[in-house]
Amino acid sequence: MADKDKVRVKLEFEDGGLASVLFGAQNSNLELLSRHSGVRIESRGNSIMLIAENEELIDPVAKSFTQLYSLLKSGKEVFPQDVEAAYRILCRDPSADLIKIFRDELFAVSPKKTLTPRTLTQRAYFSAIRENDMVFSVGPAGTGKTYIAVAMAVYALQRKEVKKIILTRPAVEAGEKLGFLPGDLVDKVNPYMRPLYDALYDMLDFNRVQEMIEENIIEIAPLAFMRGRTLSNAFVILDEAQNTTREQMKMFITRLGFGSRAVITGDITQIDLPGNEPSGLVDACNILRDVYGVSFIHFEDTDVIRHPLVARIVKAYDSYECRSK
């Protein structure tokens, strides 16, 4: 298509200093979104021109810059990873309000712990959990999927929005490997629940966690223990959901009772199911994406908040796997 036939949208920003921050060092943010969107972005002074073959390509880019500029005007800090996350969010949900997503600066989970969302996707995750009864959180390790879910569960319990917390994971190794561990089934499965315990101990005193477990206010159990139950007035977290079968996923998400919320977390690049069995998480993402009350948050390698090397490692593996296909 000739340049003269392409759609052009001009955006002007009145504050030159904020426009410079929005565009990024040496227009790095403009180049970033141009690469991701296929929209040509030309800058001149405080304005940018968006050029593409159709309005559908331009719309999320224009909304990203417009809303991020409003955030900068309100005094919020915007980082390069937020620019990319804003574009991803607006591609998935054109009606998304970034200012609403940015509303939580500090989040008092408990007397022991206060959290600050560190990426735009994390902020969207907080908002999604607040506003939906079921949230799927999909993405690589180190993005805070499980930790934030546990934090929100503790927060809901402290505010008496729910009566108990239920934390569960599929025990993929539940055959030969578990058989070599000492103790009964709960003892055998406990090592696989360690990330959930670690998150709880980081937010509540050790003795308080133990008391709540003994009083059945907090329940940590393998997924198989959920069968046949109705989980009412509870905040339920299914971790490592990529290792559920289709049947297990359907069983779990249909356990939800009145007054309950569910968060399902997983990394679809780390499926350990035997015999190439289809993942229940992948299945649910395809089947439930248009169901009202169900929200999906997708984390990327740019959202990894562990050691900076982890993000680079995740990206390298993703690139290698794409080349190998």
Side-chain angles (χ1 to χ4, degrees):
M1 180 184 290
D3 254 16
K4 63 182 179 63
D5 298 322
K6 291 185 177 180
V7 177
R8 294 169 180 264
V9 173
K10 186 177 182 180
L11 302 177
E12 295 194 46
F13 307 97
E14 59 187 24
D15 188 313
L18 294 182
S20 179
V21 173
L22 180 64
F23 298 169
Q26 298 180 326
N27 287 343
S28 57
N29 291 341
L30 304 185
E31 293 174 7
L32 177 69
L33 282 203
S34 182
R35 274 199 316 272
H36 281 284
S37 65
V39 174
R40 195 164 90 232
I41 306 176
E42 299 175 352
S43 66
R44 178 173 293 181
N46 300 349
S47 68
I48 55 175
M49 181 70 74
L50 309 179
I51 306 167
E53 295 182 1
N54 55 63
E55 290 184 9
E56 287 74 19
L57 290 173
I58 289 177
D59 188 56
V61 178
K63 286 180 177 176
S64 297
F65 284 121
T66 302
Q67 292 199 44
L68 289 171
Y69 180 73
S70 296
L71 284 168
L72 287 168
K73 280 186 69 175
S74 70
K76 307 292 185 186
E77 199 168 0
V78 173
F79 298 98
Q81 63 265 32
D82 294 331
V83 177
E84 184 178 348
Y87 173 72
R88 290 199 311 267
I89 290 167
L90 287 163
C91 281
R92 288 192 295 266
D93 180 7
S95 64
D97 184 345
L98 299 185
I99 292 178
K100 185 179 178 183
I101 289 171
F102 257 78
R103 68 187 171 189
D104 294 316
E105 287 301 319
L106 292 174
F107 197 83
V109 176
S110 69
K112 184 181 176 182
K113 193 72 177 179
T114 299
L115 289 184
T116 303
R118 294 177 60 182
T119 70
L120 186 52
T121 312
Q122 282 194 354
R123 292 175 187 273
Y125 190 23
F126 273 95
S127 291
I129 294 174
R130 279 182 158 185
E131 296 166 9
N132 297 274
D133 289 333
M134 184 173 292
V135 176
F136 285 80
S137 169
V138 183
T143 51
K145 302 185 303 295
T146 301
Y147 192 87
I148 290 173
V150 174
M152 293 298 284
V154 171
Y155 178 77
L157 185 66
Q158 301 276 54
R159 290 169 58 87
K160 302 188 185 308
E161 295 173 5
V162 295
K163 293 182 179 179
K164 69 183 300 181
I165 296 172
I166 300 174
L167 309 173
T168 185
R169 297 178 87 180
V172 172
E173 301 86 348
E176 187 176 5
K177 290 183 183 177
L178 286 178
F180 287 105
L181 294 174
D184 59 18
L185 181 57
V186 174
D187 294 325
K188 292 174 187 289
V189 172
N190 265 348
Y192 303 104
M193 304 293 181
R194 183 51 52 191
L196 300 173
Y197 282 107
D198 290 344
L200 281 172
Y201 293 144
D202 199 39
M203 293 167 208
L204 298 167
D205 292 332
F206 179 87
N207 290 336
R208 181 59 183 143
V209 172
Q210 295 305 307
E211 288 172 6
M212 294 168 86
I213 291 174
E214 289 172 8
E215 294 168 5
N216 208 33
I217 296 172
I218 295 177
E219 180 183 348
I220 304 177
L223 182 58
F225 284 25
M226 301 299 113
R227 190 173 297 279
R229 300 175 59 183
T230 299
L231 308 175
S232 300
N233 300 307
F235 196 115
V236 193
I237 299 171
L238 171 58
D239 194 32
E240 296 291 335
Q242 75 276 5
N243 288 328
T244 60
T245 64
R246 289 171 171 172
E247 293 76 16
Q248 286 174 324
M249 177 61 76
K250 185 178 179 183
M251 177 273 291
F252 173 78
I253 59 180
T254 54
R255 298 304 93 201
L256 208 62
F258 289 107
S260 288
R261 282 181 266 169
V263 178
I264 297 99
T265 75
D267 179 359
I268 58 175
T269 69
Q270 299 290 329
I271 298 170
D272 300 314
L273 289 167
N276 295 318
E277 185 165 4
S279 166
L281 178 59
V282 175
D283 213 36
C285 288
N286 292 327
I287 294 171
L288 304 177
R289 59 187 172 189
D290 296 322
V291 174
Y292 178 76
V294 180
S295 177
F296 290 86
I297 299 295
H298 294 269
F299 288 92
E300 307 289 342
D301 56 85
T302 51
D303 297 305
V304 173
I305 54 171
R306 290 179 180 170
H307 191 289
L309 180 59
V310 175
R312 297 197 293 272
I313 289 171
V314 169
K315 194 167 187 177
Y317 268 93
D318 287 345
S319 297
Y320 175 79
E321 286 165 5
C322 285
R323 291 195 305 269
S324 300
K325 288 179 180 178

